[in-house]
Amino acid sequence: MSRRITWADAACPIARAADVLGEPWTLLILRNATAGTTRFEDFRSQLGIADNVLTTRLAKLVDRGLLTKLPYRDGGRTRHEYRLTQAGSDALPVLHALGTWGHAHTSSDAGPTTLIHTRCGQPTRPGAKCDSCGKPLTRADLAWRGSWLGEGEIPLADPVG
């Protein structure tokens, strides 16, 4: 199902962001890319998404500059990986805010998805400094911990280019 209108040229930045991020599956694809998923088959199996929907959403995320498409060889066949760009990486605070809101205002037996400052091992929020230890944060020092991820911590994927 696609929208009949576009907000790409709206004066409101929230409307413009919703134009990019507001389609079903888009935020989950971006979440998984942030957790390091890069290949079509992995997105499909992790999300349980139909091939045609995944193809369309990945193409839009590439077109909008949140992901980039990079070729790789799989045997004799060229395939593509989808990697976060800086714009895709910059969506981390949005994903974090949605996860925090979802944990507080929806029901699940699963625990929260937590952003961890790996240098001190404590929860934090996206920003310039760790909420717990006060040291500067870099993306390389951050990981997600949460029940949808399985056991342990998942380092955040670095943006390309």
Side-chain angles (χ1 to χ4, degrees):
M1 172 186 359
S2 64
R3 283 194 314 270
R4 296 178 189 258
I5 62 170
T6 179
W7 299 310
D9 297 323
C12 175
I14 296 170
R16 292 190 310 270
D19 193 66
V20 175
L21 300 174
E23 289 186 318
W25 295 106
T26 297
L27 287 168
L28 296 179
I29 293 167
L30 196 54
R31 174 200 68 185
N32 283 37
T34 299
T37 303
T38 60
R39 297 191 175 180
F40 186 94
E41 298 79 18
D42 294 333
F43 283 111
R44 181 180 57 203
S45 67
Q46 291 168 6
L47 296 171
I49 185 173
D51 286 2
N52 62 325
V53 175
L54 180 57
T55 298
T56 301
R57 295 304 184 275
L58 287 171
K60 285 184 179 182
L61 286 166
V62 169
D63 185 53
R64 295 296 185 97
L66 279 79
L67 297 177
T68 190
K69 191 173 170 179
L70 300 172
Y72 74 93
R73 299 290 288 175
D74 183 17
R77 184 174 174 184
T78 299
R79 295 181 180 248
H80 292 92
E81 289 186 332
Y82 297 88
R83 300 285 181 111
L84 285 174
T85 62
Q86 189 61 52
S89 174
D90 288 346
L92 178 63
V94 174
L95 297 173
H96 181 76
L98 284 169
T100 300
W101 185 92
H103 180 68
H105 299 289
T106 62
S107 297
S108 173
D109 291 336
T113 298
T114 307
L115 191 63
I116 301 296
H117 180 210
T118 57
R119 292 192 185 263
C120 73
Q122 297 300 310
T124 191
R125 292 171 293 175
K129 293 183 179 182
C130 176
D131 293 336
S132 297
C133 70
K135 293 190 177 168
L137 289 176
T138 67
R139 192 168 182 92
D141 297 332
L142 296 173
W144 269 337
R145 182 186 302 148
S147 57
W148 72 271
L149 296 161
E151 295 297 319
E153 296 173 357
I154 303 295
L156 301 187
D158 288 326
V160 297

